[in-house]
Amino acid sequence: DQSHMSFEELLRMQSDRRTRVCKQVTGAKKTAKPTKATVKQQQGKKGPLEMSAKKPVPFLRQVVSVTKKVHRDPRFDDLSGEYKPEIFMKTYSFLDSIKKQEKEMIQKQLKKCRNVEQKEKLQQLLNRMTQQEQAQKKQQKLRERELSLKRQRRQLAKQGKKPFFLKKSEKRKLELAEKYAELKRSGKLESFLNKKRKRNAIKDKRRLPSQKNL
């Protein structure tokens, strides 16, 4: 009962309580040193180690290694398999019909369009699609020519003869001969030759020395 205590006894009891509370608080704030198990656990999680603020940080610190992302290009990676144009064209042959439908749709939009800017964009898109189609046909013809040459080589090898291999200049001559025959069949040979003559005339004119240099 504190009512029968003197003033000095009350002060002493309060000071004892304060000291006990301070000891409890300071004892709870003290943290245990990290053991080897905790350090191994932190390293296993690939996380940075907690450094004490009381100790100076070393100049060379242990940095956690980060795995670098390697981007894979399926066009040049062996995991995607070997690229064979014949198989690729057969697998994605359905895209030709889709492109044809898109081209017809753009042609219809171009006829109906009245806006000048929109009409120019549609015309550019149509020209791009036409160029892609022509390039695809050209590649297809080159592949067919290569296949025919391979068949001829195999037949010669079966007959015991030495197979032939064309040079780049000879392949170029074959391409020009096929192009000439195709233009002649379509009736566009004369216009093609006129354009070529004009281009050659412009080149020759550029090569001539100007009047200032004379």
Side-chain angles (χ1 to χ4, degrees), residues 82-172:
E82 186 181 357
Y83 172 69
K84 294 182 179 179
E86 298 83 8
I87 298 172
F88 181 84
M89 293 302 295
K90 287 179 182 179
T91 307
Y92 296 98
S93 59
F94 65 94
L95 292 175
D96 296 334
S97 60
I98 296 172
K99 288 179 180 178
K100 188 177 180 181
Q101 292 175 2
E102 289 178 350
K103 189 177 178 181
E104 290 175 356
M105 185 177 65
I106 291 168
Q107 286 174 348
K108 290 178 182 178
Q109 290 179 359
L110 189 62
K111 289 179 181 178
K112 296 178 182 179
C113 185
R114 301 300 178 191
N115 191 354
V116 179
E117 293 181 0
Q118 189 68 22
K119 197 170 184 178
E120 287 180 358
K121 290 180 181 179
L122 289 171
Q123 187 63 47
Q124 289 175 1
L125 182 59
L126 185 63
N127 293 337
R128 196 182 305 119
M129 293 178 74
T130 307
Q131 289 173 1
Q132 289 175 357
E133 187 179 354
Q134 290 174 355
Q136 187 177 353
K137 287 180 180 178
K138 187 177 180 181
Q139 291 293 329
Q140 184 65 25
K141 287 180 180 178
L142 290 173
R143 282 193 292 270
E144 288 175 357
R145 190 188 303 116
E146 289 292 333
L147 286 172
S148 65
L149 290 173
K150 284 181 181 179
R151 292 192 196 99
Q152 291 176 12
R153 290 181 199 134
R154 287 173 187 171
Q155 288 177 1
L156 290 173
K158 286 179 182 179
Q159 293 173 5
K161 297 179 181 179
K162 189 177 180 181
F164 62 92
F165 295 94
L166 295 176
K167 298 178 182 178
K168 288 184 179 179
S169 59
E170 294 173 348
K171 289 181 180 179
R172 180 64 179 165

Side-chain angles (χ1 to χ4, degrees), residues 63-69:
V63 181
V64 179
S65 60
V66 180
T67 55
K68 187 179 178 181
K69 290 184 179 180

